[in-house]
């Protein structure tokens, strides 16, 4: 009940009412209008009760020296001002504290829907095979060793090993890889991944809480729990500020035999400007970032971003667009030009559902090539397709598929395949009438701004790292293209988390940038997580502290500069507020300020801090 009353009084509507009452307390008496009851009593009640509640709560529950907080000092000053009858001063210090609390809450409130969305990805049922019969059972009833059948389009309900069948599996949820991975008997499949083509039978190896997807959910939850709220600077200095204020006030009162001077010292000593320094600067920076399409969810993230010295990137969908395109069409036959090779392959792949086949068809249509209707189309899951085009028998697939179909791959073709692999490209061999005649290579497309962005970060003395689920050759190729030298490949979500933890263990402040579900634990584990907003998964965006709504990674250097400027602005505001407080305390001890004029000087210092923060909003960053 008490907490509900406190929350109601500390809310924005009641705080606004408190501010209006404070104005009515100050203005009418100075125009000759005497009110029967000082309206500042209303401000004292509205803003003072939450302040008293916070001070007492911290005394009871905070450990050690943290029991002494800025709320305690301001509460003491408020009661001292009430004791000598200066209600305006009492209401003013409480009101400024209430404004600071509202501003800080506005910068730290964050949505927590990401974990719910991640949990919703967990499969709810599976098709168990027992005594030759299929039965659908709840996923939680699947036990280790059960035989399960997964049909095309279905989600794998548990981790397991393929016993029979061949397919391609979309495991982007776990690895972030843009391509489905070909799987055959003996290969491992992960819970939550999607079977794209052939039917497979698997033996369950990890079920329930031990499955890969449940581990992913658990990692996100644990990382979220480890996120400590941003400690207010005023509270960090309160452990020495409160005793000093009390001592100076006591000495001033005893030396001058004037209780008003002692109360004035307490009023001007209140760290209200200090309380406002952080949230106002952060609000201004968040506002500026929003204008540039960067959503910053908390002040803690902004403050930490200014201290980041290492930025780790996911590859697919982050440094690249996450979309496959044909990069090379290479013919091995002298009488077959590249356009004819593309025409034959695209005509054969027109009925394919495989992403590589679809990309080849899209590329051919983009070049306005007229395609022919194929006959005798047949797809072998995880290997390739066969079809008849213009009376020619075509095979399109990997090297293993061509060998199984009795087509030999020449040394020249094998050398070309290896070269393409080193460039991180996927390759489709094309055979016509039993002879390997060419290869079509496909690659993810690097973002045009990626290289310049990495160069700017390097110039800012910021290290860059690549963390990806792709294979080592692909990772090395793309890293070289953008200028990243530190590369970690073949990573599952827990591996990314481990690498970030290792970097942090060596004293680095790490920012992780990613776009997929598999990046969520890493985004949470890093000091700061940045998600690609418009195309990134909802879960990645919710897990991150910052989202790039335009997917423009060239904004990363801007974000780093903005964060650094915000930290400097906060430090400047704190320094100036301390100087103003010192001057006001000196004037109070000399008797040149009373509680009301001291409160006004104190309020002017708070306004000055807000003005400095406002300048940050319109500052230009290259």
């Amino acid at each position: 009940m008490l907490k509900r009353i406190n929350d109601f009084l500390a809310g924005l509507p009641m705080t606004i009412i408190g501010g209006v009452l404070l104005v009515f307390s100050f203005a009418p008496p100075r125009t000759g209008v005497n009110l029967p009851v000082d309206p500042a009593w209303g401000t004292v009640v509205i803003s003072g009760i939450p302040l008293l509640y916070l001070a007492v709560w911290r005394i009871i529950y905070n450990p050690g020296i943290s029991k002494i907080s800025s709320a305690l000092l301001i509460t003491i000053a408020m009661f001292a001002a009430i004791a000598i009858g200066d209600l305006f001063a009492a209401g003013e210090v409480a009101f400024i504290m209430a404004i600071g609390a509202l501003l800080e809450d506005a910068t730290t409130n964050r949505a927590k829907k990401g974990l719910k969305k991640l949990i919703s990805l967990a499969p709810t049922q599976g098709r168990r095979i027992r005594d030759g019969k299929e039965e659908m059972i709840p996923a939680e009833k699947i036990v280790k060793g059960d035989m399960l059948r997964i049909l095309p389009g279905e989600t794998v309900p548990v981790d397991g090993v393929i016993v029979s069948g061949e397919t391609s599996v979309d495991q982007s949820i776990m690895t972030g890889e843009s391509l489905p991975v070909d799987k055959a008997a003996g290969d491992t499949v992960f819970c939550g991944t999607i079977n794209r083509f052939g039917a497979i039978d698997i033996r369950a190896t990890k079920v329930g809480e031990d499955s890969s997807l449940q581990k992913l959910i658990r990692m996100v939850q644990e990382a979220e729990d480890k996120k400590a709220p941003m400690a207010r600077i005023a509270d960090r200095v309160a452990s020495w500020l409160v005793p000093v204020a009390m001592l100076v006030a006591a000495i001033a009162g005893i030396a001058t035999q004037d209780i008003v001077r002692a109360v004035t010292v307490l009023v001007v000593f209140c760290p209200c400007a200090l309380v406002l320094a952080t949230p106002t600067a952060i609000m201004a920076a968040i506002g500026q970032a929003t204008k540039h399409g960067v959503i910053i969810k908390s002040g803690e993230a902004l403050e930490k971003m200014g201290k980041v010295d290492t930025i780790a990137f996911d590859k697919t969908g982050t440094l690249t667009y996450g979309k496959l395109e044909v990069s090379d069409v290479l013919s091995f036959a002298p009488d077959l030009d590249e356009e004819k090779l593309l025409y034959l392959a695209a005509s054969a792949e027109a009925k394919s559902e495989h992403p590589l086949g679809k990309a080849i068809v899209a590329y051919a249509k983009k070049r306005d090539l007229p395609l022919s209707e194929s006959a005798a189309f047949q797809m072998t899951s995880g290997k390739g397709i066969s079809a008849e085009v213009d009376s020619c028998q075509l095979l399109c697939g990997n090297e293993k598929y061509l060998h199984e179909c009795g087509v030999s791959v020449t040394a020249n073709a094998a050398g070309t395949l290896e070269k393409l692999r080193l460039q991180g490209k996927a390759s489709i061999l094309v055979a016509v009438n039993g002879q390997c005649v060419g290869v079509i290579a496909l690659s993810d497309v690097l973002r045009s701004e990626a290289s310049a962005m990495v160069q700017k970060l390097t110039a800012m003395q910021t290290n860059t790292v690549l963390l990806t689920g792709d294979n080592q050759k692909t990772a090395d190729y793309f890293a070289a293209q953008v200028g990243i030298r530190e590369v970690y490949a073949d990573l599952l979500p827990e591996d990314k988390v481990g690498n970030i933890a290792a970097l942090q263990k060596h004293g680095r402040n790490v920012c992780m940038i990613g776009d997929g579900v598999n990046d969520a634990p890493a985004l949470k584990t890093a000091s700061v997580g940045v998600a690609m907003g418009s195309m990134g998964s909802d879960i990645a965006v919710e897990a991150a502290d910052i989202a790039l709504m335009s997917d423009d990674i060239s904004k990363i250097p801007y974000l780093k500069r903005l964060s650094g400027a915000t930290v400097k602005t906060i430090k400047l505001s704190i320094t100036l507020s301390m100087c103003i407080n010192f001057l006001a305390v000196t004037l109070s001890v000399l008797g040149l300020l009373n509680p009301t004029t001291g409160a006004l000087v104190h309020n002017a210092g708070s306004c000055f801090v807000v003005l400095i923060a406002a300048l940050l909003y319109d500052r230009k960053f290259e």
Side-chain angles (χ1 to χ4, degrees):
M1 183 63 168
L2 185 60
K3 187 177 186 305
R4 283 201 298 270
I5 294 172
N6 177 75
D7 292 342
F8 172 71
L9 293 174
L12 180 60
M14 293 304 294
T15 302
I16 291 174
I17 293 172
V20 171
L21 292 173
L22 199 61
V23 171
F24 278 107
S25 171
F26 180 78
R30 283 153 184 81
T31 59
V33 179
N34 293 316
L35 301 174
V37 178
D38 193 334
W41 272 116
T43 307
V44 169
V45 171
I46 291 170
S47 299
I49 289 177
L51 183 64
L52 176 62
Y53 177 87
L54 180 62
V56 172
W57 191 93
R58 288 177 175 174
I59 289 172
I60 296 172
Y61 294 105
N62 278 15
I65 198 68
S66 63
K67 292 178 181 294
I68 302 175
S69 65
S70 57
L72 177 61
L73 175 55
I74 297 174
T75 300
I76 292 170
M78 181 180 69
F79 279 113
I82 292 171
I84 65 168
D86 197 329
L87 292 174
F88 175 80
E92 188 269 348
V93 294
F95 175 71
I96 292 294
M97 187 70 174
I99 291 294
L102 285 174
L103 287 172
E104 187 171 40
D105 286 343
T107 64
T108 55
N109 286 337
R110 294 167 58 186
K112 295 188 177 181
K113 300 175 184 176
L115 191 59
K116 291 181 182 178
K117 290 181 180 177
L118 188 56
I119 291 171
S120 71
L121 294 177
T124 58
Q125 58 183 3
R127 183 179 284 98
R128 183 172 64 187
I129 302 173
R130 181 171 288 179
D131 299 326
K133 297 180 180 180
E134 294 183 15
E135 58 175 339
M136 296 299 295
I137 62 171
E140 59 268 20
K141 290 189 176 181
I142 299 173
V143 297
K144 186 176 179 179
D146 274 352
M147 290 292 294
L148 305 169
R149 179 161 292 162
I150 297 102
L151 301 180
E154 291 185 342
T155 301
V156 180
V158 295
D159 289 9
V161 175
I162 297 177
V163 176
S164 63
E166 295 177 338
T167 188
S168 293
V169 176
D170 178 356
Q171 52 187 39
S172 58
I173 187 176
M174 299 301 298
T175 67
E177 291 178 89
S178 53
L179 286 174
V181 179
D182 295 336
K183 300 279 187 176
D187 290 334
T188 299
V189 291
F190 301 109
C191 176
T193 59
I194 301 171
N195 179 26
R196 285 300 185 198
F197 301 108
I200 53 173
D201 291 346
I202 70 169
R203 179 179 290 108
T205 55
K206 294 180 180 178
V207 301
E209 293 299 311
D210 293 328
S211 72
S212 299
L213 183 61
Q214 290 298 329
K215 285 182 180 178
L216 186 66
I217 293 170
R218 217 160 39 245
M219 282 189 291
V220 173
Q221 194 163 26
E222 288 170 358
E224 173 67 35
D225 292 341
K226 289 176 185 175
K227 288 284 188 183
M230 182 176 62
R232 285 161 60 169
I233 295 173
D235 289 334
R236 294 204 290 266
V237 302
S239 57
W240 59 265
L241 196 62
V242 173
V244 169
M246 297 295 290
L247 180 62
V248 173
I251 292 173
I254 293 170
T256 62
Q257 295 296 301
D258 186 357
I259 187 63
V260 174
R261 293 196 190 191
V263 173
T264 305
V265 168
L266 287 176
V267 169
V268 299
F269 231 123
C270 290
C272 290
L274 201 60
V275 168
L276 290 173
T278 297
T280 52
I282 286 171
M283 285 289 285
I286 288 175
Q288 159 144 169
T290 301
K291 291 192 298 183
H292 290 80
V294 179
I295 306 301
I296 301 173
K297 298 183 183 179
S298 72
E300 181 188 14
L302 191 64
E303 191 177 36
K304 287 184 176 181
M305 190 68 195
K307 301 173 184 177
V308 161
D309 55 27
T310 300
I311 297 182
F313 294 91
D314 174 47
K315 180 189 78 69
T316 305
T318 304
L319 291 177
T320 69
Y321 288 105
K323 183 173 65 175
L324 286 172
E325 289 187 3
V326 172
S327 58
D328 304 89
V329 180
L330 305 173
S331 174
F332 304 141
D335 58 343
L336 185 68
D337 60 25
E338 293 178 0
E339 187 169 296
K340 179 69 171 177
L341 175 63
L342 178 61
Y343 156 75
L344 290 171
S347 296
E349 292 279 9
K351 296 177 181 178
S352 173
E353 290 298 316
H354 197 283
L356 295 183
K358 287 184 174 182
I360 291 172
V361 174
Y363 182 70
K365 289 181 177 178
K366 185 178 178 180
R367 293 183 55 172
D368 296 324
L369 288 181
L371 303 184
S372 297
E373 183 75 17
S374 66
F377 176 85
Q378 187 175 352
M379 180 173 179
T380 304
S381 297
K383 294 182 180 179
I385 61 103
S386 63
E388 188 177 313
V389 178
D390 295 347
S391 301
C392 296
Q393 187 62 41
L394 267 78
L395 299 174
C396 299
N398 57 31
E399 198 171 358
K400 180 181 178 182
Y401 179 59
L402 263 63
H403 278 306
E404 289 179 356
C405 294
V407 178
S408 61
V409 177
T410 64
N412 177 43
T416 301
L417 284 177
E418 182 59 26
K419 181 180 177 181
L420 293 170
R421 287 193 193 101
L422 291 174
Q423 295 175 358
K425 297 176 181 178
S427 301
I428 299 291
L429 288 168
V430 181
V432 177
N433 297 329
Q435 184 178 6
C436 183
V437 296
V439 62
I440 298 177
L442 302 96
S443 176
D444 201 349
V445 181
L446 189 69
R447 293 181 185 272
S448 57
E449 66 271 22
S451 181
M453 178 269 303
V454 170
Q455 289 177 19
K456 287 179 182 178
L457 289 175
T458 302
M460 295 166 66
Q461 309 300 313
T462 303
N463 299 312
T464 52
V465 178
L466 181 62
L467 303 177
T468 178
D470 281 355
N471 62 71
Q472 190 69 50
K473 290 180 180 179
T474 300
D476 288 340
Y477 174 76
F478 279 99
Q481 293 290 98
V482 298
I484 296 177
R485 295 181 180 178
E486 196 169 351
V487 182
Y488 302 91
D490 296 308
L491 302 180
L492 291 173
E494 58 265 34
D495 300 322
K496 290 184 179 181
V497 170
N499 276 279
I500 288 174
L503 292 170
Q504 291 173 327
K505 189 176 180 181
H506 286 87
R508 296 203 206 178
N509 290 312
V510 182
C511 167
M512 174 67 192
I513 302 177
D515 78 307
V517 171
N518 64 297
D519 296 320
L523 291 169
K524 282 291 186 186
T525 302
S527 300
V528 183
V530 179
M532 308 295 283
S534 68
M535 72 168 291
S537 74
D538 288 343
I539 291 165
V541 172
E542 294 294 347
D545 304 297
I546 299 170
L548 304 179
M549 300 314 294
S550 63
D551 280 351
D552 184 0
I553 56 173
S554 67
K555 294 283 175 37
I556 299 300
Y558 157 79
L559 179 59
K560 187 78 174 69
R561 291 191 189 98
L562 174 65
S563 303
T566 303
V567 171
K568 289 179 182 177
T569 298
I570 291 170
K571 289 179 179 178
L572 174 63
S573 296
I574 290 169
T575 302
L576 289 175
S577 68
M578 295 297 284
C579 291
I580 292 170
N581 271 21
F582 177 77
L583 177 62
V585 168
T586 303
L587 294 175
S588 300
V589 171
L590 295 175
L592 299 176
L593 293 177
N594 59 38
T596 297
T597 55
L600 292 173
V601 170
H602 168 266
N603 194 32
S606 299
C607 292
F608 194 45
V609 165
V610 173
L611 178 61
I612 293 172
L615 294 175
L616 185 65
Y617 181 79
D618 290 318
R619 189 182 302 181
K620 303 296 181 184
F621 294 91
E622 292 182 5

